[in-house]
Amino acid sequence: MREITTIVTTAGRPDDVSMALAAFACKKLKISFEPRKKRSVRKISQEMQAHVIVAGKNRYDYYAFEASEPFFFHPNSAAFRLKRVARGETDPFLEAMQLNAGDSVLDCTLGLAADAMLAAYTVGESGRVIGLEANPNVAFIVERGMQTYDTSELPLTDCMRQIEVIQTEAVTYLKSLPDSAFDVVYMDPMFEEIIEEATNFEALRFAGEHLALTDDWINEARRVAKKRVVLKAHFRSEWFEQYGFQQLTRVTAKFHYGVLKA
């Protein structure tokens, strides 16, 4: 079987905007363009044996090979979580992170960047948030989405624009850093158990990389974190005990946060 590549195409009826977006994606990802020619995305994917990025009028859709639904950027839960935090309400993620204005945060598993947006809001303009994404297609979709998503909602827009996206695997990047390079290192690997209610992450689960925690990852995170390492995992995960995290239990939640203090 030939290697699965990635190609770019347009929506069914491309205009100048979608053609320009397609050209940008091809240049940025160094991949080729495939004219739509009235074919379905599924047909193009099967014929080319490829993942497909579709440049539409307002956004990119990413169809991982044999996926039934596309992955695309949307602020998702970040919008209402930010509104609650701005009103002075608590958020379990921020309680675990214990961030201050001016802090630096390394999000090892960016995904849709909802947690990174809350981190950016909390650390403010004087702080720094870097998000790592191993899959180049997902990194591209999320980075472009955060830079161009059309919203007048504040503080959501500012938070999205503040996050720096780096396409790389977490351990590789951590090993390139000096000791105590970030105040907080955060990791949210794909859950070992599927949470049925989390349907909005289904496309990401299919499109993204599935990375398990390793001794190397934890050791490097501890070396790089000045204040703490924070883990998000299924409430039954063995990772909390295995790696010595203080598990912050929540009775009604199916995922918990764990903390390793530096």
Side-chain angles (χ1 to χ4, degrees):
M1 184 176 177
R2 92 192 212 195
E3 181 184 356
I4 304 297
T5 58
T6 302
I7 56 124
V8 178
T9 191
T10 60
R13 295 182 178 179
D15 58 10
D16 290 343
V17 174
S18 58
M19 290 299 295
L21 287 173
F24 178 82
C26 288
K27 182 178 180 180
K28 184 77 173 179
L29 292 168
K30 297 180 174 61
I31 54 181
S32 61
F33 176 75
E34 178 67 21
R36 188 66 178 260
K37 296 179 181 178
K38 298 183 179 180
R39 293 171 294 175
S40 68
V41 174
R42 179 180 291 275
K43 186 172 183 180
I44 293 174
S45 180
Q46 291 296 331
E47 287 180 355
M48 305 295 295
Q49 289 287 289
H51 308 300
V52 181
I53 293 176
V54 179
K57 293 182 180 180
N58 300 309
R59 74 182 193 200
Y60 294 101
D61 284 351
Y62 171 45
Y63 290 81
F65 185 66
E66 296 188 337
S68 58
E69 298 294 331
F71 170 75
F72 59 90
F73 175 78
H74 189 279
N76 213 333
S77 62
F80 62 81
R81 288 172 68 192
L82 274 169
K83 286 179 181 178
R84 289 204 306 257
V85 170
R87 290 197 300 264
E89 297 180 32
T90 60
D91 184 275
F93 165 75
L94 293 178
E95 289 179 339
M97 296 287 281
Q98 292 292 301
L99 297 172
N100 298 307
D103 277 352
S104 56
V105 178
L106 179 64
D107 185 342
C108 292
T109 48
L110 184 63
L112 280 163
D115 290 329
M117 290 181 216
L118 264 74
Y121 173 77
T122 307
V123 303
E125 292 183 0
S126 60
R128 186 185 189 196
V129 178
I130 289 181
L132 310 181
E133 175 52 54
N135 185 291
N137 298 329
V138 172
F140 171 77
I141 298 292
V142 174
E143 180 178 33
R144 293 308 303 163
M146 289 196 296
Q147 291 300 316
T148 62
Y149 189 82
D150 184 15
T151 177
S152 58
E153 291 186 58
L154 293 174
L156 180 62
T157 303
D158 288 343
C159 294
M160 288 193 293
R161 306 294 194 259
Q162 183 178 340
I163 299 164
E164 303 170 54
V165 180
I166 298 177
Q167 190 274 301
T168 185
E169 191 272 329
V171 177
T172 300
Y173 187 75
L174 285 164
K175 286 184 175 181
S176 73
L177 298 172
D179 294 353
S180 304
F182 285 84
D183 289 301
V184 180
V185 175
Y186 175 61
M187 53 190 70
D188 174 16
M190 291 289 185
F191 295 131
E192 310 102 298
E193 297 187 40
I194 294 175
I195 297 176
E196 296 299 334
E197 291 87 342
T199 54
N200 54 332
F201 291 104
E202 209 168 299
L204 176 60
R205 183 182 296 280
F206 203 99
E209 302 296 323
H210 293 249
L211 303 173
L213 281 190
T214 62
D215 293 349
D216 209 15
W217 192 349
I218 293 294
N219 291 337
E220 288 299 320
R222 296 189 75 165
R223 181 184 64 80
V224 168
K226 189 184 303 181
K227 295 180 179 179
R228 60 179 50 199
V229 177
V230 177
L231 168 69
K232 179 182 178 182
H234 192 279
F235 75 96
R236 283 193 293 253
S237 176
E238 295 179 355
W239 288 336
F240 295 114
E241 183 176 355
Q242 181 180 352
Y243 292 112
F245 283 89
Q246 177 192 354
Q247 186 172 351
L248 308 180
T249 58
R250 296 186 297 146
V251 176
T252 60
K254 292 191 176 181
F255 63 85
H256 290 168
Y257 294 96
V259 176
L260 277 174
K261 293 182 180 179

